[in-house]
């Protein structure tokens, strides 16, 4: 299970994007022995598919598996539910999930999905710095000191609802600034996307899961990074920075502060989530494999849905490649984020 399967996240998604969709909470077992649970939704009108709840915005799907003995029964429930529609497309599931082998045994297609690079955090920040390559080790120590010589830097985390709103407005502006300069809008231009992320952030603030950070230089916000803290790990979702301050490596400076704070909070992992952008590996991340499970009915609408899903996947891969290349030109953290919702 990931943070994207938590109740506050699912509630926010349903409130903003739930119109026209059906939602399913499939549960097996429970009690002292534990059980298994998965959350699914439908998409489409003429050709309906079954997918993970919030698929298209959430970086990865997942299940709550308290008792591994319940996995087979849960899979049977998934198959029974999927048979009611024209197909199923369960994207971005961890490759080590027991559902993967069950899907193969049932004749489903199992395809490689985008990796999610993740950084193992040691007990101290000093240990982390020493684990880096020589160049990155020097940069993560030198760049913050360089800022202090030229500016009055202020690192802040949003702790109140008013701060969340303020930080998010700056975040939306910084994230879109680079794309507007290129004649593009970015993924946060739509009001529904902004409404959703505001709602998630406020819900997560109530749970003490929100880690929304900004870096200000001489009272000007130059970088904002949106992270969550849940399940003993940090989850980095999205970031934006002012390209006018690229030469000051403001993203590296803010990441360094967040890594330090994450370790101090007891986090053992920093998950950069979906996408193989090169900057993640410079910070020491390694890939975690994910797969997509799919099956379509042998009917005209099932075949139509199979074709549509294939075209959507090709489109999103190309879009992500283009955004990744553009983002890495300026070192924009997670500027390549793509979301697909309809």
């Amino acid at each position: 299970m990931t943070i994207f399967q938590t109740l506050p996240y699912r509630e926010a998604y349903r409130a903003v994007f739930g119109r026209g969709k059906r939602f399913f909470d499939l549960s097996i077992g429970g009690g002292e022995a534990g059980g298994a649970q998965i959350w699914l939704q439908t998409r489409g009108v003429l050709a309906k598919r079954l997918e993970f709840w919030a698929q298209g915005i959430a970086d990865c799907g997942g299940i709550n598996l308290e008792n591994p003995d319940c996995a087979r029964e849960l899979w049977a429930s998934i198959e029974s539910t999927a048979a009611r529609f024209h197909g199923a497309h369960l994207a971005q599931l961890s490759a080590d999930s027991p559902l993967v082998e069950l899907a193969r045994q049932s004749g489903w297609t199992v395809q490689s999905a985008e990796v999610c690079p993740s950084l193992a955090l040691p007990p101290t920040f000093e240990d982390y710095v020493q684990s880096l390559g020589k160049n990155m080790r020097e940069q993560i120590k030198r760049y913050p000191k360089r800022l202090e010589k030229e500016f009055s830097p202020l690192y802040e985390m949003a702790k109140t609802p008013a701060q969340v709103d303020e930080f998010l407005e700056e975040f939306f502006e910084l994230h879109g600034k680079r794309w507007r300069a290129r004649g593009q809008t970015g993924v946060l231009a739509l009001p529904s996307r902004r409404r959703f992320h505001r709602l998630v952030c406020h819900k997560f603030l109530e749970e003490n899961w929100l880690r929304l950070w900004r870096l200000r230089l001489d009272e000007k916000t130059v970088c904002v990074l949106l992270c969550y803290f849940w399940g003993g790990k940090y989850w980095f979702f999205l970031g934006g920075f002012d390209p006018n301050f690229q030469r000051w490596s403001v993203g590296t400076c803010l990441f360094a502060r967040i890594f330090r704070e994450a370790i101090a909070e007891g986090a053992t992992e920093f998950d950069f989530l979906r996408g193989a952008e090169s900057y993640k590996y410079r910070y020491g991340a390694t890939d975690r494999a994910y797969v997509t499970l799919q099956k379509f009915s042998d009917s005209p609408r099932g075949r139509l849905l199979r074709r549509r899903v294939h075209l959507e996947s090709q489109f999103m891969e190309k879009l992500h490649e283009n955004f990744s290349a553009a983002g890495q030109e300026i070192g924009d953290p997670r500027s390549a984020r793509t979301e697909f919702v309809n």
Side-chain angles (χ1 to χ4, degrees), residues 24 71 85 142 151 301:
F24 300 88
F85 305 101
R142 186 175 72 252
F151 305 97
R301 292 188 181 184

Side-chain angles (χ1 to χ4, degrees), residues 10 89 92 111 131 157 238 252 276:
R10 288 185 286 113
H89 183 245
Q92 291 293 136
Q111 297 179 332
S131 72
M157 188 181 79
L238 203 59
T252 296

Side-chain angles (χ1 to χ4, degrees), residues 1-3 6 207-209 228-235 266-269:
M1 179 170 167
T2 76
I3 194 167
T6 60
E207 302 288 344
N208 195 27
W209 297 348
Y228 313 129
F229 182 34
W230 178 87
K233 61 189 280 188
Y234 265 58
W235 311 73
T268 58
E269 185 178 342

Side-chain angles (χ1 to χ4, degrees), residues 27-293:
S27 300
I28 302 297
E32 293 184 2
Q37 197 170 15
I38 191 171
W39 299 272
L40 304 170
Q41 69 183 32
T42 62
R43 185 196 303 273
V45 179
L46 294 178
K48 287 188 176 293
R49 77 186 75 171
L50 188 70
E51 60 187 14
F52 284 118
W53 192 313
Q55 186 166 308
I57 281 200
D59 263 38
C60 39
I63 62 174
N64 181 24
L65 187 61
E66 297 173 344
N67 184 349
D69 293 336
C70 293
R72 187 171 294 278
E73 191 176 351
L74 180 65
W75 178 251
S77 182
I78 295 170
E79 281 211 292
S80 176
T81 306
R84 298 160 55 184
F85 305 101
H86 301 105
H89 183 245
L90 306 180
Q92 291 293 136
L93 177 67
S94 178
D96 61 7
S97 169
L99 296 188
V100 177
E101 182 56 32
L102 292 170
R104 287 196 178 96
Q105 294 174 6
S106 301
W108 286 47
T109 300
V110 178
Q111 297 179 332
S112 296
E114 282 194 271
V115 298
C116 291
S118 184
L119 169 64
L121 296 175
T124 70
F125 181 71
E126 290 71 24
D127 289 340
Y128 166 66
V129 173
Q130 289 302 313
S131 72
L132 297 171
K134 181 179 179 180
N135 288 341
M136 194 66 209
R137 185 167 61 246
E138 292 303 315
Q139 291 171 9
I140 213 165
K141 291 189 293 185
R142 186 175 72 252
Y143 288 169
K145 294 178 181 178
R146 185 178 63 173
L147 278 189
E148 294 173 0
K149 292 180 179 179
E150 297 292 332
F151 305 97
S152 295
L154 178 62
Y155 299 87
E156 296 180 291
M157 188 181 79
K159 296 182 179 180
T160 68
Q163 286 181 322
V164 169
D165 289 333
E166 179 184 343
F167 284 32
L168 282 177
E169 283 305 312
E170 295 172 332
F171 165 59
F172 293 147
E173 174 60 25
L174 290 174
H175 188 269
K177 189 173 183 179
R178 172 72 169 106
W179 300 114
R180 288 194 300 272
R182 296 173 61 91
Q184 299 171 331
T185 58
V187 299
L188 297 176
L190 293 177
S192 60
R193 304 295 204 277
R194 296 189 178 203
R195 179 187 167 205
F196 169 72
H197 289 299
R198 284 193 191 97
L199 187 53
V200 168
C201 285
H202 279 284
K203 284 179 174 290
F204 281 8
L205 179 69
E206 293 176 358
E207 302 288 344
N208 195 27
W209 297 348
L210 181 66
R211 298 297 184 268
L212 177 59
W213 282 84
R214 74 179 177 186
L215 169 58
R216 308 196 83 196
L217 300 181
D218 295 342
E219 300 185 353
K220 177 181 176 62
T221 298
V222 297
C223 186
V224 181
L225 300 179
L226 173 57
C227 305
Y228 313 129
F229 182 34
W230 178 87
K233 61 189 280 188
Y234 265 58
W235 311 73
F236 171 53
F237 188 70
L238 203 59
F241 83 108
D242 189 334
N244 294 325
F245 287 81
Q246 176 188 355
R247 65 184 293 259
W248 297 103
S249 303
V250 292
T252 296
C253 293
L254 187 50
F255 266 121
R257 174 55 64 93
I258 294 175
F259 293 155
R260 183 187 293 274
E261 296 297 327
I263 291 171
E265 284 197 90
T268 58
E269 185 178 342
F270 190 96
D271 197 329
F272 284 97
L273 294 173
R274 178 169 54 89
E277 292 85 358
S278 62
Y279 75 88
K280 299 176 183 180
Y281 305 105
R282 292 198 294 272
Y283 290 127
T286 56
D287 286 342
R288 176 170 294 151
Y290 281 74
V291 299
T292 293
L293 314 179

Side-chain angles (χ1 to χ4, degrees), residues 315-328:
F315 172 75
M316 295 308 294
E317 286 176 8
K318 185 64 176 177
L319 188 64
H320 197 175
E321 287 176 5
N322 291 342
F323 277 19
S324 294
Q328 291 183 40

